[in-house]
Amino acid sequence: MNNDNIKNKKPRSKAVRFFVTLFVVLLVIAAAWVAFSLIGRVNAASVIPDSASLRISISNPVRLLDNVMAHESLHEIVSMPALEQVMPMLDMAQGLLKNRIVRLIASGNVEFAVLQQGFAQTGFAQTGFAAAMDMGLFSPLLRILPAVSGFVNIPNLYYVQAGKNSRFEFRLNDMTLFIGPYRNLLFISDNTSIFESRSADYTASVFSSIKPSAYDAALVLSGEFINTLLADQDPDIAAILNNVEFDSLVEAGLSIYPKKIEFRLAAPLSSREQSLSRILQQRSRVPGLAETIPADAQYATILSAGTLNELYQTALVFSPALDDALKTAETASRFLLGLSLNDLLFSWSGNEFAVFGLEGRPHPVYAIQIADERKRQEVFDKAFRSIVLGENVRLNIDGVRIPRIEVPEFLQSLLRQWDIFIPSPYYVVHRDFILASESADTLLAALRAMQRNDVLPKTAIWREIAGGKTVTSAFSLYYSLDLSVPFFLRKNTDLSKFLSLYRHGLIRISFDRGAVDLSLSLIPGSGNGVMPVSGYPLNIGGRPFNRIYGGEKSRIFFTSGGTAISLDITDNRMYELPGQGTHWVISAGADNVWVVTDRGRVTLADGNMDAAPGFPIITGLRLSSPPQVHEGRLYLCDEDGKVHIVDENGRQGVWETSFAAAVRSPPSFLTVSARRNTSAVYAAVYPKSFFGEIWLLDADGRSLPNWPAPISVNDEDNDFGVGFGSPLLFAHNNRVLVAFINQQGQLLVYDENASLVQPFPLVLNGIFYQQPVFDGEYLWLVSSNGNLFRISLHGEVLHQSIPGLTVMEEGYLTVFENEIYITGDGNALYAYTRHFRSLEGFPLPVWGKPLFIPAQGNKKAEIFGIGMDRRLYRWQFR
């Protein structure tokens, strides 16, 4: 028995010794491998020449890619035309990184740089790039790459033996990449001089203001590179760059989170201009206004870089012509008020200024810090004793007396002759700030929020977008695209498109004795925004007209030159009906379309642009306006003042009523339910003529009793007797109503009996080329200078200015799902809610008449539009 145990123990002891020996051998190999990977190790940054114009440091590429793929707005970003090739590359990279070994290899530090010619240290004279990747524990594999190169067959990849400069070459049509090992690094360049001069002779780290490991990607840029990149993009940016100098390299850091992007830039700046240098050399502090902005603010801009006089002196650096304007204002102020501008503004104001807007309220609130309240009161008292300013203290809301600064009516009337309007704002003093707004209700709402300490810094969205960062600033801008489109998003650039994908943004700029620190935080959001549809925009070429019509299924229609075009949106195939000359297309229901020329040739075609039996037909008309369709019938206005009808069978008719003048805008129609499941059809027409009248008719063109009605009333001088567009027909509270605004801003609303509805007419400030639209509760109008008006049927008028918008006859105003859409003379489609909140992602780069497709089943609503770049755009509502 004992002998058997001894015999059994011997094999076991041998097995134990074998596994122990194997473990020791593996441990020695692993230790040797680690030691070998550490011998001669260098920092990837040390092989990048110090003279690089741009360098990017990525501490962990795997982490960066994971964060990019998890980012909420990724698919919207890569849907942008400029980035349409990025998503396949990201998908491929993500597929590779599913392998654990690949993730380990790719987790080392990566350095990338752009180098320009003229570097004495390296001797090369061509522009190129250099990239280095730290292979870490896998660096010993670099030693065996040449040995295994003969067994690798990758298209366009070749191994070139050249002594110490032996390398792989990846040869493309117009570029060759040189790839080779350098100690623990894999080095890549597109320039042989850069590749052959690689060495660890450079500064290992050029970062001093930011820590690269704290960001997903860190950048260093030279001043020359920034000037080249930005100077030609915007004249305002060019003016800034021309008056500042970069004292050393500019550093930046980028962090990407699932629901946020953060960017920081540190730039050492100086200026030879004394006033600008004084601003740059200050040390920013926390502005008091930042702690008092109401919680429901949808945008807020705070400036605390200096007093009004210091800011004025700095502004003169960029706009010398401002001095003449200020001298004129100085003269006028002394003459009219008996006060110099220094007395009127500079003597009592501090160094903090702000403008913010509250949710659902179109008028902003302005805030100015009061440095000397006694002096302010003295200046206001003296100004109100003049003949040009007065103070109205009669308004009392909710127990709060709200004074108003008023300009006498005689002076306002005089100034209107030169198209000058001076607002009469309300104001209140709260602590050491004066708040002013054109709306007393808005001003009171802001004041109450401040008194309750219901402020923006207490909100969750503010903590998300501003948390963890310094709060000192000389300038800060917070925006929410629910209401406001910041100035830098109004241009149709790739950068503005990218920023428009983010619902909330916060920008801060601070100074610290010549060091400028800029931080940007962006938060994506769903809301009521839009995202581009993959594959769009389409280059449609030709000379496309700016109006789009749609079928009920899968076709949209537009014109280009003398060709009518049908687009199948399921596969983007286009079908054409050429040889039409000047013509219009308009949907005929299902996926059919009417094609009408200005000489009265009418074609009913299907989605493939094949004519229906019996078409085209020749009517012999000379059309005075675009055609109109209602309930399957086509309406054509002739130059002789008659309105003709064509149905889907080719039968023709004519309205019983003819007009003394040609109808320049097509009739508008309204179908309303009547008793016993019947319906009544109404038509409204404005024949543009000396008489200035609108008509209400039935479906056969018979005028209803008491019509026509004038487009201006109580107008002895006939200043209101001209209008544009078709009258608006709408129903409200079981009444049929007709609305019309003439060019000079008199808005009339008539009932079915041609009687004015009280409190109309209303006179709005502006020139009008577009007729109103109705959203079920409010009338909406837009003036030629971009003022958007909301008018209730009780006569309440609210308005908001849309900067940069002008709207003439080519503009377009419509309502879709209770939201208002406007295009004007430029390449921009604006969108607002009933409460004047701008929809996320707007304005969009289209003009004219867009096409809205309502949501169907599980499909989301969509917008089509044609841009001035002759491309067809398509977006989907989130």
Side-chain angles (χ1 to χ4, degrees):
M1 188 71 176
N2 292 335
N3 291 334
D4 291 340
N5 290 338
I6 293 173
K7 291 179 180 179
N8 289 334
K9 287 181 179 180
K10 287 182 178 179
R12 290 179 183 177
S13 62
K14 290 181 180 180
V16 171
R17 285 197 301 270
F18 172 78
F19 283 112
V20 170
T21 302
L22 179 62
F23 176 76
V24 171
V25 170
L26 293 176
L27 187 62
V28 170
I29 293 174
W33 183 277
V34 171
F36 191 60
S37 68
L38 295 176
I39 295 175
R41 180 179 179 82
V42 295
N43 191 315
S46 66
V47 300
I48 302 298
D50 298 330
S51 50
S53 300
L54 165 69
R55 60 191 298 162
I56 303 173
S57 176
I58 302 174
S59 58
N60 189 329
V62 173
R63 183 185 66 186
L64 172 62
L65 183 62
D66 287 343
N67 290 346
V68 168
M69 298 304 297
H71 187 59
E72 185 176 291
S73 294
L74 176 64
H75 289 281
E76 288 92 331
I77 293 171
V78 297
S79 296
M80 296 170 56
L83 300 174
E84 58 186 7
Q85 301 300 324
V86 172
M87 195 62 200
M89 298 172 60
L90 290 175
D91 288 336
M92 181 178 66
Q94 188 185 36
L96 290 173
L97 291 180
K98 289 181 180 179
N99 186 293
R100 293 183 179 181
I101 295 178
V102 175
R103 290 181 69 88
L104 286 173
I105 295 175
S107 60
N109 174 227
V110 171
E111 300 286 334
F112 174 87
V114 174
L115 302 113
Q116 296 179 342
Q117 59 184 354
F119 299 107
Q121 191 173 10
T122 58
F124 58 84
Q126 297 178 356
T127 301
F129 77 83
M133 179 177 181
D134 188 349
M135 298 296 291
L137 292 177
F138 293 89
S139 59
L141 294 176
L142 297 174
R143 306 290 200 278
I144 64 173
L145 281 179
V148 301
S149 62
F151 302 97
V152 177
N153 185 17
I154 299 177
N156 301 320
L157 183 67
Y158 305 89
Y159 183 72
V160 178
Q161 291 187 347
K164 67 176 183 179
N165 287 317
S166 296
R167 60 190 179 265
F168 288 94
E169 293 185 4
F170 189 72
R171 300 169 185 172
L172 301 175
N173 293 331
D174 55 352
M175 181 178 67
T176 298
L177 298 181
F178 305 96
I179 308 168
Y182 180 77
R183 299 189 185 181
N184 58 300
L185 307 176
L186 184 66
F187 191 88
I188 305 173
S189 179
D190 65 340
N191 184 290
T192 53
S193 298
I194 299 175
F195 183 83
E196 293 173 359
S197 63
R198 65 193 187 279
S199 63
D201 296 334
Y202 306 103
T203 305
S205 177
V206 294
F207 292 92
S208 58
S209 297
I210 70 172
K211 186 178 180 181
S213 60
Y215 298 90
D216 289 327
L219 300 86
V220 175
L221 307 93
S222 68
E224 295 80 5
F225 186 86
I226 294 175
N227 282 320
T228 303
L229 185 67
L230 298 178
D232 296 333
Q233 300 298 314
D234 188 283
D236 295 330
I237 294 177
I240 294 175
L241 294 177
N242 289 335
N243 288 282
V244 298
E245 298 176 357
F246 294 96
D247 297 329
S248 62
L249 297 174
V250 177
E251 302 173 35
L254 174 68
S255 295
I256 301 173
Y257 304 94
K259 294 183 177 293
K260 183 168 61 171
I261 283 182
E262 289 185 349
F263 178 80
R264 181 190 169 200
L265 185 144
L269 291 179
S270 62
S271 176
R272 297 178 182 178
E273 298 290 341
Q274 185 177 359
S275 58
L276 181 56
S277 178
R278 187 181 300 113
I279 294 290
L280 295 173
Q281 290 299 322
Q282 66 176 268
R283 298 192 68 178
S284 299
R285 56 185 181 81
V286 180
L289 277 168
E291 303 171 355
T292 60
I293 301 297
D296 61 346
Q298 294 295 295
Y299 62 91
T301 302
I302 302 174
L303 182 62
S304 56
T307 64
L308 276 178
N309 190 38
E310 290 173 336
L311 296 176
Y312 161 67
Q313 297 298 330
T314 303
L316 286 178
V317 174
F318 307 106
S319 302
L322 183 64
D323 194 39
D324 292 336
L326 200 73
K327 288 178 180 178
T328 301
E330 171 80 14
T331 302
S333 179
R334 288 182 180 273
F335 176 74
L336 297 174
L337 302 175
L339 294 166
S340 66
L341 281 185
N342 182 69
D343 294 332
L344 187 63
L345 297 173
F346 302 159
S347 64
W348 57 269
S349 58
N351 60 359
E352 292 186 21
F353 313 91
V355 56
F356 56 87
L358 304 184
E359 183 177 2
R361 299 179 184 273
H363 295 288
V365 177
Y366 301 88
I368 302 176
Q369 186 183 45
I370 302 172
D372 188 339
E373 171 59 17
R374 181 176 297 180
K375 183 65 176 178
R376 183 204 66 80
Q377 188 64 59
E378 176 186 324
V379 169
F380 275 43
D381 289 343
K382 186 172 183 179
F384 292 145
R385 289 196 298 268
S386 69
I387 63 171
V388 295
L389 284 182
E391 183 181 35
N392 187 335
V393 295
R394 291 174 294 179
L395 182 64
N396 189 302
I397 304 178
D398 196 19
V400 178
R401 188 171 300 280
I402 303 180
R404 188 177 194 182
I405 302 173
E406 292 185 337
V407 177
E409 182 57 34
F410 80 89
L411 183 58
Q412 289 280 31
S413 300
L414 180 63
L415 293 175
R416 287 195 193 103
Q417 303 302 315
W418 292 281
D419 293 327
I420 299 174
F421 176 76
I422 298 178
S424 298
Y426 298 90
Y427 77 93
V428 294
V429 174
H430 175 64
R431 296 182 179 175
D432 53 348
F433 294 98
I434 182 171
L435 309 176
S437 175
E438 290 187 58
S439 168
D441 291 334
T442 301
L443 190 60
L444 181 61
L447 178 63
R448 291 299 196 209
M450 292 177 176
Q451 291 172 337
R452 296 191 306 266
N453 197 36
D454 185 14
V455 292
L456 191 61
K458 294 174 64 177
T459 63
I461 187 65
W462 181 264
R463 289 193 295 269
E464 174 69 16
I465 201 170
K469 292 182 288 295
T470 177
V471 294
T472 61
S473 70
F475 170 84
S476 67
L477 186 150
Y478 164 77
Y479 71 86
S480 168
L481 292 180
D482 291 334
L483 177 63
S484 172
V485 179
F487 67 91
F488 52 83
L489 298 189
R490 294 183 186 134
K491 296 184 178 180
N492 183 27
T493 64
D494 289 334
L495 177 61
S496 66
K497 292 175 185 176
F498 168 75
L499 294 175
S500 297
L501 298 175
Y502 294 86
R503 185 177 181 183
H504 299 279
L506 174 65
I507 299 173
R508 280 182 175 146
I509 299 175
S510 63
F511 305 124
D512 188 1
R513 297 175 180 174
V516 178
D517 197 292
L518 181 149
S519 65
L520 169 66
S521 295
L522 301 170
I523 296 179
S526 51
N528 294 321
V530 292
M531 58 184 179
V533 173
S534 179
Y536 286 78
L538 299 178
N539 289 310
I540 53 179
R543 293 178 290 110
F545 191 47
N546 64 352
R547 302 213 159 194
I548 305 178
Y549 294 86
E552 297 175 357
K553 297 181 180 178
S554 62
R555 300 302 176 102
I556 66 170
F557 309 103
F558 56 92
T559 70
S560 182
T563 301
I565 298 175
S566 168
L567 175 72
D568 187 337
I569 61 176
T570 60
D571 57 13
N572 292 338
R573 294 182 60 185
M574 288 193 291
Y575 303 84
E576 299 182 351
L577 186 63
Q580 302 301 305
T582 302
H583 69 291
W584 299 270
V585 295
I586 188 167
S587 175
D591 271 344
N592 299 325
V593 61
W594 294 102
V595 181
V596 184
T597 71
D598 63 339
R599 300 295 298 180
R601 183 170 75 242
V602 176
T603 304
L604 178 62
D606 62 15
N608 294 340
M609 283 300 176
D610 295 324
F615 289 91
I617 60 175
I618 307 299
T619 65
L621 306 177
R622 289 185 304 151
L623 267 63
S624 60
S625 76
Q628 181 65 284
V629 170
H630 185 69
E631 294 186 350
R633 300 203 293 179
L634 179 70
Y635 293 82
L636 307 173
C637 301
D638 191 21
E639 286 285 354
D640 63 4
K642 295 181 180 179
V643 177
H644 295 254
I645 307 169
V646 180
D647 68 15
E648 295 174 344
N649 297 313
R651 291 188 295 263
Q652 300 182 45
V654 63
W655 267 5
E656 291 189 12
T657 301
S658 61
F659 307 100
V663 178
R664 300 299 176 189
S665 299
S668 53
F669 291 91
L670 175 69
T671 299
V672 296
S673 298
R675 296 179 180 178
R676 297 179 181 178
N677 296 323
T678 61
S679 60
V681 177
Y682 296 85
V685 178
Y686 167 56
K688 191 172 182 180
S689 69
F690 171 80
F691 300 103
E693 297 174 329
I694 53 178
W695 297 68
L696 184 62
L697 312 100
D698 62 17
D700 297 318
R702 289 185 291 263
S703 177
L704 298 185
N706 304 319
W707 294 87
I711 65 167
S712 62
V713 297
N714 303 324
D715 179 23
E716 297 179 357
D717 299 325
N718 197 34
D719 289 336
F720 297 113
V722 179
F724 295 88
S726 306
L728 169 67
L729 263 174
F730 65 104
H732 186 258
N733 290 340
N734 298 318
R735 292 196 301 171
V736 174
L737 302 175
V738 183
F740 192 89
I741 189 167
N742 51 46
Q743 186 178 19
Q744 298 302 319
Q746 190 180 57
L747 175 63
L748 304 103
V749 177
Y750 290 100
D751 64 15
E752 189 175 351
N753 298 315
S755 298
L756 278 170
V757 175
Q758 293 301 317
F760 297 92
L762 299 175
V763 178
L764 307 180
N765 184 30
I767 304 298
F768 293 84
Y769 292 89
Q770 298 296 316
Q771 290 303 316
V773 295
F774 186 63
D775 69 358
E777 183 176 353
Y778 299 105
L779 292 168
W780 291 87
L781 280 154
V782 62
S783 65
S784 61
N785 62 350
N787 271 327
L788 179 64
F789 290 84
R790 188 189 80 180
I791 303 101
S792 74
L793 294 180
H794 301 294
E796 179 192 29
V797 178
L798 293 176
H799 67 89
Q800 175 172 305
S801 176
I802 304 176
L805 176 65
T806 58
V807 184
M808 307 291 278
E809 290 182 79
E810 282 297 315
Y812 187 74
L813 180 67
T814 191
V815 172
F816 178 67
E817 295 184 352
N818 291 329
E819 291 163 344
I820 298 84
Y821 297 82
I822 315 109
T823 61
D825 300 336
N827 194 49
L829 169 65
Y830 296 84
Y832 290 87
T833 69
R834 281 179 172 175
H835 303 293
F836 292 93
R837 293 188 300 177
S838 175
L839 297 191
E840 178 186 348
F842 287 82
L844 301 176
V846 299
W847 67 308
K849 176 187 180 297
L851 170 67
F852 297 87
I853 299 180
Q856 301 174 12
N858 59 353
K859 294 183 178 180
K860 298 179 180 179
E862 294 186 346
I863 308 176
F864 288 82
I866 291 178
M868 287 184 173
D869 57 1
R870 300 182 180 182
R871 296 199 290 178
L872 176 68
Y873 290 82
R874 180 182 181 183
W875 291 272
Q876 185 180 70
F877 282 93
R878 290 194 177 101

